[in-house]
Each structure stands twice: as C-alpha cells, then as structure tokens.
Amino acid sequence: MTVDLGLPDSPPPVLADRRKTRQLHVGPVGVGSDYPVSVQSMTTTQTADVNATLQQIAELTAAGCDIVRVACPTSDDADALPAIARKSQIPVIADIHFQPRYVFAAIEAGCAAVRVNPGNIKKFDDRVGEIAKAAKDHGTPIRIGVNAGSLDKRLLAKHGKATPEALAESALWEAGLFAEHDFHDVKISVKHHDPVTMIRAYELLAEQCDYPLHLGVTEAGPAFQGTIKSAVAFGALLRQGIGDTIRVSLSAPPVEEVKVGAQILQSLNLRPRKLEIVSCPSCGRAQVDVYKLADEVTAGLEGMEIPLRVAVMGCVVNGPGEAREADLGVASGNGKGQIFVKGEVIKTVPEAQIVETLIEEAMRIAEESGMDAGEGSPTVTVS
C-alpha cells in the first residue's frame, strides 16, 4: 500500500511575515530574513580539548543544530580554534569576553563568526576599528551580544538597571561604531533572564535597525523552566516576524537546547516538521496507561525524522477521530488497540502488542515512502 504522508504542495502558513533585515552568512548558513530561522547552541566542553569539543559538536549536529558557539576564555582555547573551525561539521562562532586579542585570534583561526560582549571587553570602543578591519578582510561576521548581567557601566548609570531601553541602546551604539568603519556584517542579541524585558528589548531593536537578530533568554534556568521561558519569549517575537537565529539557554546538556529550539520552530511552521507524536493527556475515561504507551512509542521511534504524525489515544471519545487524522495511530480500549493508517483500520491487536505494531508500521511507511528516516529524536505534542 502506498502511503501519502500529506506533505503540503506549498509552504505551510506562518503567523507573520519575517521582518526584513540585512543578510549575512555564518559560514554556509545564511542569516537574515531571506533565510530560515536557524538553531544555535553552545558547547560545554573545555574548548582547548579539541577532541571532546568536536565530539560534542557532532552530537549537536545530529540533533539538528545549525550553528555552534564555543567559549574562548584562555590562550589554550584560542590555540584550539583553528582545528575546531576546520573539522566542525557546522559553522563555529567564537565567544569572546574580556580580552580583545582573542577576537583577532578567532578571526585568524577561520571561525565562521565572532561573538563579542562590548560591556566586558577592555576599551572595546577603542578597538572597534581594528576589529572591523580584521573581520572585513576575512569576511567574518560579528555578533554584538549584549547581556543584562554585563551591561556597559555607562548605560547602567544612565538607566539605573538593565532596562529594555538600556539593552537596545547599548547594542545600537556598538553597531553604530562598526558602521562608522563601513562594517555592516553584524548580528545583534540583547539577552535578559526575564522574558518580558527581553521581548521589549528586541521589539525596540526591530523598530530602530535592520540588523539580523539572535534571540535568547539568558540564564533561562533548568530544563522545564527554561523551555517555558524560551518558548513564550520566542513565540511572542516570532509572532511579529522578529528573530533570525535562536538559542534556548538551559541548565541542561546542549543537545536538549537544540531539541527544544527545533521543536519551537517546527511548532510555528518555521522549520519543516518531522516525526510528531500526538497523545492524549489521559483522564478517567482512559482504559490504558496512556503515559506509558506514549513514552514507549516515543522511545521506539527515536531516530526517525520523516514527516509522520503518530497518534496515541487512550479512549473511544477522541481516539478514533484523532487516529484517523494521523498518518498512523492507535485508539485503545478494552485491552486492545485499533491500528489506523491514513484513516483506515488495518488491524486490531492486543494491548501488549500496540507499541510493537506501531513501530513496525512506522518503519514500513518510512520504507514505502522512499524517505530516509535519518538520525534524530522524535518530538511529542500533547493534544
């Protein structure tokens, strides 16, 4: 049986048109309104440990990361940048604080871009001309990354604290200094731990410049809290077409950041959807352990990336309808499950065989569709 995966003939609808920006390239990855919103993360290894850093970059790449940032606080880290930039599968951004000499080292190393934090780099304003020349000579974009926790003292004195206005003013001031040297390959971020402050800061930036913007809620917290904060903030901004790259900052392994970021973009139709598992929240009507069933199906399908919607439903109220709407699904009850493929019941199996049957059918659909299942992780949306 040939299975129609229901891929749209035209791009799926989005909530808003992208804000028009300048365009730049971070290595082969285009950044700006002409290109898809990209997902970033940052390694947690010691950058000087080249093998460990490259291993983590490989894991991030497999999870769907488009651009990776590496810290460069020491000369040993700077010395490792050429090898990392050369061998990484995705573009590498060097993250520089305090020491301007590492900016030049990163540019010379062939990093795809350099992130600078003007608030904590010594006499940064005096070095902008040199940085602009080096970056222009090598075709290296610069990300101006303003953080609430390291805002320029002059702005803190003026505004009293890291207000949205202070964050935006800092970023625009530094971007203006680069523009004075005819350097415009600039991306801006203005991060804050509070989503409301962060959202307003980016709105102010979007009103006053056309530079690409990198979204982030800094120090967002542990996985659950950080996911909620990031999803709320990114959703509010992307709803307005604001945002060209994103990073979900979690107190969790960086691969988890990538998974969350990719899922946020998929949920907004800003990244092609992959495997989606629709499962009911359960209630007193459920006649099976829906949580366990959904977890087992998710684990069993881990690694599939084809655009396949799998419904795992626990009762006969919404179950049959939801299952029929999916590419593949099960409506469970009375110790058995009806297996659906594109709205048709293909078999009824005992409850103990539901997970095995769904996995077998998903693999068969992938094979018959001629699409590569790929390497990655499924995402779970709770209906």
Side-chain angles (χ1 to χ4, degrees):
M1 176 175 59
T2 301
V3 177
D4 176 13
L5 292 179
L7 295 176
D9 295 327
S10 58
V14 294
L15 291 173
D17 292 333
R18 294 275 296 284
R19 158 185 167 267
K20 295 299 182 184
T21 73
R22 298 171 181 267
Q23 314 302 315
L24 56 85
H25 279 83
V26 178
V29 177
V31 173
S33 53
D34 289 353
Y35 303 98
V37 179
S38 53
V39 175
Q40 296 190 21
S41 187
M42 188 170 182
T43 56
T44 58
T45 57
Q46 296 295 317
T47 303
D49 188 340
V50 173
N51 289 336
T53 301
L54 287 172
Q55 175 61 37
Q56 193 169 75
I57 290 174
E59 294 167 0
L60 291 169
T61 304
C65 189
D66 300 304
I67 300 170
V68 66
R69 186 154 45 107
V70 299
C72 187
T74 72
S75 59
D76 287 342
D77 297 321
D79 291 342
L81 290 176
I84 293 170
R86 185 174 65 254
K87 296 179 181 179
S88 172
Q89 305 99 313
I90 55 177
V92 173
I93 298 178
D95 189 71
I96 310 298
H97 298 267
F98 306 112
Q99 292 294 343
R101 69 177 184 272
Y102 295 148
V103 176
F104 302 103
I107 293 172
E108 292 288 341
C111 289
V114 178
R115 181 275 177 111
V116 296
N117 187 339
N120 62 23
I121 290 184
K122 297 176 182 177
K123 298 182 179 179
F124 181 81
D125 294 357
D126 298 336
R127 307 298 297 271
V128 168
E130 299 172 68
I131 293 172
K133 183 180 186 307
K136 185 181 292 187
D137 289 346
H138 289 78
T140 308
I142 298 291
R143 179 181 136 206
I144 296 173
V146 177
N147 270 33
S150 52
L151 190 63
D152 190 297
K153 293 180 180 179
R154 295 167 295 183
L155 277 303
L156 278 176
K158 177 180 178 180
H159 293 273
K161 61 179 181 178
T163 63
E165 293 76 14
L167 294 168
E169 183 178 342
S170 175
L172 292 171
W173 168 259
E174 302 300 345
L177 293 180
F178 277 101
E180 288 178 4
H181 295 279
D182 195 30
F183 186 84
H184 306 283
D185 279 350
V186 168
K187 179 172 64 170
I188 294 176
S189 66
V190 283
K191 295 188 177 183
H192 196 285
H193 68 272
D194 173 51
V196 175
T197 301
M198 172 267 200
I199 291 168
R200 185 57 188 147
Y202 279 100
E203 290 173 339
L204 290 172
L205 273 180
E207 293 168 1
Q208 299 177 65
C209 75
D210 64 352
Y211 291 110
L213 302 180
H214 171 71
L215 305 186
V217 179
T218 192
E219 294 125 17
F224 177 77
Q225 175 180 293
T227 294
I228 299 299
K229 280 187 173 183
S230 298
V232 167
F234 295 176
L237 290 167
L238 293 168
R239 171 65 180 86
Q240 303 176 67
I242 298 171
D244 303 287
T245 64
I246 65 171
R247 182 202 172 183
V248 178
S249 298
L250 302 178
S251 299
V255 164
E256 298 305 313
E257 297 184 350
V258 174
K259 290 180 181 179
V260 173
Q263 185 59 50
I264 290 172
L265 295 183
Q266 288 178 45
S267 297
L268 296 171
N269 287 337
L270 293 171
R271 175 172 280 215
R273 291 177 183 262
K274 298 179 182 178
L275 180 69
E276 180 183 8
I277 296 181
V278 180
S279 59
C280 69
S282 191
C283 66
R285 295 189 302 264
Q287 297 176 327
V288 297
D289 186 340
V290 177
Y291 305 147
K292 181 173 181 289
L293 195 58
D295 284 345
E296 289 178 350
V297 172
T298 300
L301 295 178
E302 184 172 2
M304 293 190 71
E305 293 194 350
I306 64 171
L308 187 73
R309 177 174 289 136
V310 181
V312 180
M313 310 306 294
C315 78
V316 295
V317 175
N318 292 321
E322 290 283 359
R324 288 190 178 95
E325 288 296 316
D327 299 298
L328 170 64
V330 60
S332 309
N334 295 322
K336 58 188 178 182
Q338 287 186 319
I339 307 297
F340 293 81
V341 173
K342 297 303 292 185
E344 296 182 6
V345 178
I346 61 167
K347 64 180 71 173
T348 300
V349 299
E351 182 179 332
Q353 296 177 18
I354 288 175
V355 174
E356 177 186 354
T357 304
L358 285 176
I359 293 171
E360 288 176 353
E361 290 299 321
M363 296 300 181
R364 181 182 62 78
I365 289 172
E367 183 178 353
E368 291 186 359
S369 71
M371 300 183 70
D372 183 6
E375 294 181 1
S377 298
T379 54
V380 178
T381 16
V382 179
S383 65

